[in-house]
Amino acid sequence: MSTEKQNEHAAVSAADKQREEALSGLRDLIPLIFPVAAFGTIFGTASIAAGHSIGMTIWASMAMFAGASQFVFLDVYRLGVPAWSVVLAVFAVNFRHILYSAAVANKIGHFPPLAKLASFFLLTDLQFAVVEKRYENFSGRRPITLTYYFAFGIAGYLLWILATAIGALFGSLIEDPALIGLDFILPIYFLTILMGFRARRNFVPVVLVSAVAAVVVEKTLGAPWHISIGALCGIATAVLLSLSGGGKAATAGEGSANG
Amino acid sequence: MADVMAFYGRHEVAILIVILGLVTLATRAGGYLVLARFKRIPAPVQAGLEAVPAAVITTLVLPPALTAGPAEMIAMVVAGFACLRLPPIAVIMLGIGLLVVLRQLGL
C-alpha cells in the first residue's frame, strides 16, 4: 500500500515537474514573441516582394527556420547567381551555429539520438540564448530538460511559420518597416542578450577583440565573413588569456601540480 | 518577379530550399559532432567555448550599430546602458521607440 502511494506520489511530482519545465520553456518565449513575429512577418513580406509564391515562402520558413540565412537566401537568390553560391552564402551566415552547437553540446548530451537531431534543427540564435541563460541562472545545477528545450523550440517554430504566413498573406500591409523601426529590432535584441553575459570571465576583452575584428573584416572581406572571423578572434582571445592565466596560477601555487 | 523564375523553375526552388535547410542543420549539429570526439575538455578549450556567445553576438550587434547611421548608433548606446537596469523587452521597446523618434527628427 505504502509503496503504491509512494509510486503515485512520485508519478504526480514527475508530471508536475514536466509541466513546470514546459511552462518555463513557454514563459521564456514570451519576451521574444514580438521580435520573432515581427521578423517572421517581415520575411514573409520580403519573400513575396522578391517574387516567391506564398507556398514557397512558408516552405522556406519550415525547412530552414533560420532568420538571417532566410534573408540571405532572398538577397543572394534575387541576383540570379548559381545555386552553389547561394548554398555557400547561407553556410557562411550559419557558420556561427557550429559554435553554438559546440557550446550547448554538454548541456543536451543526455538527450536520446533522434531528439538530439531534432534539437539541432531547432537550435536558432534564440534557442541558444535561452539555453545558455537558463544554464547560467541555475549555475549548471539544473540540467536542461527535453521538455524545456522542445516547449520553447516547437512553440517558437510554430510562431515563426505562422508569422511568415501572415507576412506573406498581407505582404503589402507593411509598406515601410523602417518607418516603425522594425528593421532594427534584431541588433537591439542581440545587444540585450550580449549584456546578459557581462558577468562571464573575459567578457570585456572578448567583446572588444570581436568587435574590432568584425568591423575590420566587414570593411575588407565583407559580410557575412565578419561574423565567423570576428567571433573566432574573440574566442582565440579567451583561449590565449586562459593559457597565460594558467601560467600565472601555476606561478602563484609555486610548484603545485599543473591543472 | 519574372526574373527569379527565369533562372530557376518552381521545383528547383523548392529543392534549393531543402538543401539550404540541410546545410543549416549540418552547421547546427556540426559543433556537437566535432566536440563529441573529446573525452575531457582541456581548460583553454573550455575558456574558448565560454567565450562563444559573447564573441558571436558582438559581431551581430556591432556592424549594424556602427554603420547604419547616427540615429541607430545613439539608440544602441542608450539601449546598452538601459540593459544595466531594465529587462530585455523594456530595452527593446525603449530602443525602437527612441530610434523612431530620432529618425523623425531627421538623424
Side-chain angles (χ1 to χ4, degrees):
Chain A
M1 259 324 241
S2 74
T3 11
E4 220 169 79
K5 223 172 204 174
Q6 271 172 9
N7 286 345
E8 198 176 282
H9 181 72
V12 167
S13 67
D16 275 355
K17 186 136 194 311
Q18 290 284 85
R19 203 179 53 198
E20 191 192 310
E21 288 285 315
L23 284 176
S24 301
L26 295 177
R27 205 179 303 125
D28 286 353
L29 185 63
I30 291 173
L32 303 171
I33 288 175
F34 183 66
V36 170
F39 273 94
T41 308
I42 293 170
F43 173 77
T45 312
S47 178
I48 296 298
H52 295 289
S53 67
I54 291 177
M56 203 68 83
T57 299
I58 296 170
W59 178 232
S61 279
M62 287 175 73
M64 295 168 75
F65 191 35
S69 39
Q70 284 179 226
F71 280 101
V72 168
F73 159 66
L74 286 186
D75 199 51
V76 179
Y77 179 83
R78 200 170 39 85
L79 304 172
V81 294
W84 65 262
S85 62
V86 183
V87 173
L88 189 67
V90 167
F91 178 77
V93 138
N94 261 312
F95 188 75
R96 66 185 188 281
H97 287 126
I98 292 180
L99 307 177
Y100 290 174
S101 104
V104 299
N106 60 337
K107 286 147 203 154
I108 65 164
H110 56 285
F111 288 8
L114 268 181
K116 219 177 266 176
L117 187 67
S119 63
F120 286 130
F121 178 76
L122 297 173
L123 188 57
T124 56
D125 301 81
L126 303 184
Q127 180 89 50
F128 173 68
V130 297
V131 166
E132 287 287 322
K133 189 157 177 278
R134 186 172 173 81
Y135 196 79
E136 189 111 330
N137 284 350
F138 291 104
S139 314
R141 284 190 308 273
R142 192 159 164 178
I144 300 297
T145 61
L146 206 70
T147 312
Y148 172 81
Y149 193 103
F150 282 92
F152 179 91
I154 293 172
Y157 183 59
L158 295 177
L159 176 63
W160 181 247
I161 293 168
L162 180 70
T164 304
I166 291 171
L169 286 172
F170 303 101
S172 58
L173 213 66
I174 302 171
E175 275 175 18
D176 184 10
L179 198 67
I180 49 170
L182 283 184
D183 57 320
F184 217 67
I185 285 185
L186 211 52
I188 293 180
Y189 172 71
F190 282 132
L191 179 68
T192 66
I193 294 291
L194 180 65
M195 291 299 283
F197 293 126
R198 65 184 183 274
R200 288 195 180 190
R201 63 178 168 158
N202 302 330
F203 176 78
V204 173
V206 166
V207 167
L208 283 179
V209 172
S210 304
V212 171
V215 170
V216 169
V217 173
E218 208 210 12
K219 291 254 185 288
T220 52
L221 283 176
W225 292 107
H226 65 285
I227 298 174
S228 306
I229 298 174
L232 283 174
C233 290
I235 293 160
T237 305
V239 171
L240 290 175
L241 285 173
S242 161
L243 287 171
S244 64
K248 227 183 280 169
T251 317
E254 280 195 348
S256 66
N258 51 2
Chain B
M1 304 233 168
D3 52 349
V4 168
M5 293 307 156
F7 288 100
Y8 301 95
R10 236 185 115 74
H11 295 294
E12 284 162 315
V13 180
I15 291 165
L16 177 63
I17 287 171
V18 172
I19 293 170
L20 296 178
L22 289 175
V23 166
T24 305
L25 179 60
T27 60
R28 286 174 176 172
Y32 171 77
L33 294 176
V34 172
L35 199 81
R37 292 168 188 272
F38 289 92
K39 276 197 170 163
R40 260 185 56 238
I41 303 168
V45 176
Q46 186 70 41
L49 288 179
E50 269 180 43
V52 170
V56 176
I57 294 171
T58 298
T59 68
L60 298 179
V61 165
L62 256 286
L66 293 177
T67 56
E72 287 78 4
M73 203 186 287
I74 293 169
M76 287 292 275
V77 170
V78 171
F81 280 106
C83 286
L84 301 174
R85 287 293 170 86
L86 299 173
I89 192 66
V91 173
I92 292 170
M93 290 168 95
L94 174 75
I96 294 297
L98 179 62
L99 180 62
V100 169
V101 170
L102 290 173
R103 280 177 178 171
Q104 291 292 329
L105 293 175
L107 272 175

